Amino acid sequence: EIVMTQSPSTLSVSPGERATLSCRASQSVFNNLAWYQQKPGQPPRLLIYAASTRATGVPARFSGSGSGTEFSLTISSLQSEDFAVYYCQHYNVWPPFTFGPGTKVHIK
Amino acid sequence: EVQLVESGGGVVRPGGSLRLSCEASGFTFDDYGMTWVRQVPGKGLEWVSGINWNGDNTAYGDSVKGRFTISRDNAKNALYLQMSSLRVEDTAFYYCAKSTCGSGGFWCPLTAWGQGILVTVSS
């Protein structure tokens, strides 16, 4: 099973600031990596897939990068609606397609 | 509009069984793989099981393997999760999600999610 880790576990950011979240896989997942956003009381929402492709309707301030074992999600200028928990997930060939433990982005 | 609606949750004793259902609409159900993901309240996401478009390819997370069975009925646009030998640690919200693979598989991103259904395993 591929183990996904995320750092930091929590991130305090002021509105308008840039936030960078990291995700690491225990072995290469190539670019088979997705990022999800989850707000309280809601299901997760797909933000990024194939490591760097924005899903439909996702604002351009969200960007993803990386390949292999190291990935990052950047929010260029945090808006109030961006404060949430962010999860990475691999979907590389063999299940289980594990999620990272999440990074909570909250208001500084 | 894609809609996924889970049902069948509730309270069950340890060792008991429960079947979750997910009714899909707004897309051609038998073109897509489907996935179950669960979340202990206040905790992270756990991938539970996936099934391809026609049901002949399935997979399970290690924590549920041998106890849970995923299936689908394309005529009814429905996904199921049969859960048996339930444990206290299976208590969670269970989400069904649409896997967007061109091939109809489930080894791909989850582009749509239901609202989730709570399963509580308690004596």
Side-chain angles (χ1 to χ4, degrees):
Chain A
E1 173 177 317
I2 295 175
V3 177
M4 307 299 293
T5 56
Q6 291 184 242
S7 62
S9 56
T10 60
L11 191 58
S12 297
V13 187
S14 298
E17 287 189 339
R18 180 187 189 93
T20 301
L21 290 62
S22 296
C23 173
R24 175 177 289 179
S26 60
Q27 60 187 269
S28 176
V29 297
F30 302 93
N31 72 333
N32 297 310
L33 191 285
W35 289 93
Y36 301 87
Q37 176 194 65
Q38 188 179 31
K39 297 179 182 179
Q42 296 183 17
R45 169 198 177 196
L46 178 67
L47 293 178
I48 301 284
Y49 64 95
S52 61
T53 303
R54 276 189 302 278
T56 302
V58 175
R61 63 181 181 272
F62 291 92
S63 62
S65 64
S67 66
T69 61
E70 302 280 346
F71 302 89
S72 63
L73 173 71
T74 299
I75 312 170
S76 60
S77 177
L78 268 143
Q79 307 297 303
S80 57
E81 62 266 29
D82 301 336
F83 293 97
V85 181
Y86 294 83
Y87 296 95
C88 62
Q89 182 209 18
H90 90 85
Y91 50 94
N92 185 57
V93 186
W94 298 112
F97 301 129
T98 45
F99 292 86
T103 292
K104 183 175 183 179
V105 177
H106 62 88
I107 300 174
K108 190 173 186 178
Chain B
E1 179 194 2
V2 172
Q3 285 203 321
L4 299 168
V5 180
E6 301 94 342
S7 62
V11 181
V12 61
R13 303 272 195 207
S17 298
L18 207 58
R19 188 175 87 151
L20 303 183
S21 299
C22 173
E23 182 178 330
S25 61
F27 65 102
T28 305
F29 184 67
D30 56 10
D31 276 353
Y32 294 95
M34 298 292 293
T35 295
W36 288 99
V37 174
R38 70 183 181 184
Q39 185 172 37
V40 174
K43 303 297 184 183
L45 301 170
E46 181 184 6
W47 189 90
V48 173
S49 183
I51 187 167
N52 73 331
W53 70 278
N54 67 356
D56 69 359
N57 190 347
T58 61
Y60 300 90
D62 289 346
S63 62
V64 307
K65 202 173 294 183
R67 301 187 299 122
F68 290 12
T69 302
I70 191 172
S71 62
R72 63 190 296 159
D73 184 337
N74 287 343
K76 295 182 178 179
N77 288 351
L79 174 72
Y80 305 105
L81 186 68
Q82 178 67 47
M83 305 184 293
S84 58
S85 302
L86 282 160
R87 306 167 180 167
V88 170
E89 56 266 34
D90 295 319
T91 295
F93 284 96
Y94 285 74
Y95 297 99
C96 74
K98 173 176 172 266
S99 307
T100 301
C101 288
S103 59
F106 55 88
W107 37 89
C108 35
L110 304 175
T111 54
W113 298 63
Q115 287 298 310
I117 191 83
L118 181 61
V119 172
T120 302
V121 184
S122 174
S123 54

